[in-house]
Amino acid sequence: MSSVAPYSVGTCLTSLHLQKRNHSASSSTSLTTTTKCSSVQQPPLLVQKENQLNRREAITLSMSFGLLHSFLQPLTATAAEAVPCELTVSPSGLSFCDKVVGTGSQAVKGQLIKAHYVGRLENGKVFDSSYDRGKPLTFRVGVGEVIKGWDEGILGGDGIPPMLTGGKRTLKLPPELGYGSRGAGCRGGSCVIPPDSVLLFDVEFVSKA
């Protein structure tokens, strides 16, 4: 689910200087200020590839706010409660299960789509939910704007049928299809998604945007 380029945060330093002014009759000293600004590269919380487009920054910020929200209060999954279903393991290691098979058309690589989701760790802890924010995530599928497991789980792949509009699917992602050894949402020595985490997502393909 997550994947954009670093963004720049501007920093400015202001310094004071003594300046002596000479006049014909008298001299005086005054303070002047000099401001120098520089740009510091800081990666957002969810980084999958470097040198991506600005649109990916917006997606990352949206998902980052969700991760930050989980620091502040527990998340619930009231709109997408986990329903047990038998997972099928694909050759890539991604496991999936269709709770609802959609009736609309499938997404095409590069297409802008809307999807609701609930993300859980393997222990069942919810780390993010678009339902709690009341707004689905909008992104271009299949071009690296989200984590690999999402692109594969929605578009389909070897042993995985594509999702259809209106469908609801559970995805189980190995670390290499999620956030890998980096984890995500790390702050103060702890991470919302610890490194090398297996992730569970309930994904609803809402519509094409």
Side-chain angles (χ1 to χ4, degrees):
M1 241 171 56
S2 45
S3 345
V4 305
Y7 62 95
S8 297
V9 177
T11 58
C12 296
L13 298 177
T14 301
S15 57
L16 297 176
H17 304 277
L18 285 174
Q19 184 175 21
K20 189 173 183 179
R21 298 178 181 174
N22 294 316
H23 302 282
S24 57
S26 62
S27 62
S28 62
T29 300
S30 61
L31 283 175
T32 62
T33 61
T34 301
T35 301
K36 295 182 179 180
C37 295
S38 62
S39 179
V40 179
Q41 292 293 325
Q42 294 187 359
L45 293 182
L46 311 180
V47 179
Q48 182 67 24
K49 293 181 180 179
E50 295 183 352
N51 301 321
Q52 303 284 9
L53 302 176
N54 288 337
R55 151 159 195 76
R56 302 186 185 183
E57 295 181 11
I59 293 173
T60 291
L61 287 176
S62 173
M63 301 184 78
S64 296
F65 282 129
L67 291 175
L68 178 61
H69 183 262
S70 66
F71 272 116
L72 303 178
Q73 64 183 43
L75 290 172
T76 60
T78 54
E81 289 295 336
V83 177
C85 61
E86 186 175 350
L87 293 169
T88 300
V89 182
S90 71
S92 70
L94 182 150
S95 300
F96 70 96
C97 172
D98 284 316
K99 295 179 179 179
V100 176
V101 176
T103 57
S105 58
Q106 68 186 64
V108 177
K109 182 178 180 179
Q111 191 171 49
L112 201 62
I113 69 170
K114 294 182 179 181
H116 264 308
Y117 66 93
V118 175
R120 297 178 177 82
L121 300 178
E122 209 170 11
N123 62 10
K125 180 181 178 181
V126 175
F127 59 81
D128 194 12
S129 170
S130 65
Y131 292 102
D132 285 352
R133 294 192 296 277
K135 183 179 180 181
L137 181 68
T138 300
F139 65 99
R140 293 191 186 279
V141 66
V143 295
E145 287 190 353
V146 290
I147 53 179
K148 291 180 180 179
W150 264 51
D151 280 339
E152 183 178 341
I154 293 174
L155 281 181
D158 188 8
I160 307 172
M163 286 189 74
L164 304 179
T165 305
K168 296 182 179 181
R169 175 174 287 180
T170 294
L171 302 175
K172 184 176 182 179
L173 312 183
E176 58 270 23
L177 296 180
Y179 298 105
S181 60
R182 298 186 315 274
C186 298
R187 187 178 68 173
S190 63
C191 298
V192 176
I193 301 175
D196 299 314
S197 291
V198 173
L199 304 178
L200 292 163
F201 286 98
D202 289 318
V203 180
E204 177 184 356
F205 182 2
V206 178
S207 66
K208 298 173 183 178

